[in-house]
Amino acid sequence: MDPKAPNAEYRSTPQYAEYQRENFWKPNTGEVPPFNTDPAKLEELAKTKLTQNGWFYASSNAGQSYTHTANRQAFYRHRIIPRMLVDTNKRDTRTSIFGHDVAAPIGIAPIGINKIYHPQGELPVAKVAGELNIPYCLSTAGSTPIETVADANGQGSPRFYQLYMPHDDELTINLLERAWNSGFDVCILTVDTWQLGWRHDDVAIGNYAFYRGMGADLGLSDKVFQKRLAEARIDPEKEPERACAMWIDSIWHGRAHSWEKIPWVIEQWKRISNGRPFCLKGIQSVQDAKKAVEVGCDGIVVSNHAGRQVDGAIASLDALEEIVDAVGSQTYVMFDSGVRGGADVFKALALGAKFVFVGRLWIWGLSIMGEPGVRHVMKSLLADFDILMNVAGFQSVEQIDRSAIESYPKSYNLPTETSKL
Ligand code: GLV
């Protein structure tokens, strides 16, 4: 593409498409692009860089990976209808989420314990999100204290806090207060993970870093949790395994919360944050989506935890369509699970999602090369989406609706191989 195109003057978002040119140009200056972002190749490369534990934890799905496979298959049944000779020179990937203007409808999904993928853990991910002006969502199972992640994220992008809710109200409140005081201004409660789904690979090698004394940083840096450790007479310095286990057992406790608890946590968050948005993540049924609206949630993330929780479940993208029909005009509907490229983002938007979160892609980038790896993956995804808008004839995110896709019936075959992609 022509780097001197006058389009740049008209656009309010960076010309992410130029990242393609930057990579094409590299051989002239003796450089090579960092790595291939084709999702299959990206995953393959990440596997070679990770320990067996890191690889298993990141790539594991529930059971036989059928939900994961369904997530991927569902994208294939929707096809984009490109439009030609549209003036896309002034196109814009920009959108807004909960009052924040952001560069694109693409955000960093919350993923725990990043230190098993890279020694710097969550920090490079938060930093790159800030740089690119896309939302960063921190997991309660993260391996870096909330306050340190906020510093790395800086002022360039909004940050959201994903809550795994303990059965210890004082601890929950303290986590929410820490998040709010550190500039995380949307709370997203995950409701599909009271405990991890049955993931064969992880169980087979006892792969749970927390029980090895790693990854409890949010807890170990929390004054209420420190009190709980003292009450249990556990010194984290002397007994890191017991301390980290106690933390993870308080957030992935295996003890379900039910709808009755939701008004309480909404009330706490609204009080602490002066009324900022509260959302549920993990919604897959229309009934639950309606219930979320009824109890006063400001948004929902239609997600099946990337197929890691319930095996043999419906595709998250299939759930999205019906949920948008039912509650799309009453609440802010977001999406994740199975997104591997710009076209997938586009399809989720076309089906009515207002925002799309990605997870495994940036995990692979982080595993391969740390900060430059996350940057390369996310810039490539933004470029892919921007270029798609250009070549498919869309000028703005708002123009992407159901008329932009053709959808085929759900008729999924038994997968012939269990590719994790
Ligand atoms: C936690 O969120 C996991 O999927 O392991």
Side-chain angles (χ1 to χ4, degrees), residues 57 164 193 196 199 252 305 308:
Y57 197 72
Y164 285 119
T193 307
L196 300 186
R199 304 170 188 170
W252 290 338
H305 216 105
R308 289 163 73 80

Side-chain angles (χ1 to χ4, degrees), residues 57-58 60 110-113 117 139 141 162 164 190 192-193 195-197 199 202 208 210 252 281 305-309 360:
Y57 197 72
S60 282
I111 292 187
I113 197 160
Y117 310 120
S139 164
Q162 176 273 330
Y164 285 119
T190 295
D192 60 13
T193 307
Q195 70 181 84
L196 300 186
R199 304 170 188 170
D202 288 328
Y208 206 43
F210 303 97
W252 290 338
K281 173 174 180 284
H305 216 105
R308 289 163 73 80
Q309 288 301 96
R360 279 194 174 110

Side-chain angles (χ1 to χ4, degrees), residues 1-21:
M1 67 178 283
D2 176 5
K4 295 197 198 73
N7 319 348
E9 292 168 29
Y10 304 118
R11 297 190 58 187
S12 69
T13 38
Q15 302 220 60
Y16 295 115
E18 273 195 23
Y19 192 55
Q20 181 194 57
R21 183 178 201 280

Side-chain angles (χ1 to χ4, degrees), residues 5 38 52 72 86 101 110 117 134 172 230 238 286 290 304 319-320 336 338 353 355 369 372 375 386 394 405 413:
D38 171 85
Q52 187 189 46
R72 296 293 306 131
V86 177
D101 281 336
Y117 310 120
I134 56 173
T172 299
K238 295 198 181 116
V286 167
K290 286 184 175 164
N304 57 26
L320 174 68
D336 82 23
F355 214 87
M369 216 180 249
R375 187 176 291 112
D386 187 21
F394 289 83
I405 51 171
N413 296 321

Side-chain angles (χ1 to χ4, degrees), residues 38 69 153 169 228:
D38 171 85
T69 306
N153 187 225
D169 292 349
R228 299 291 178 263

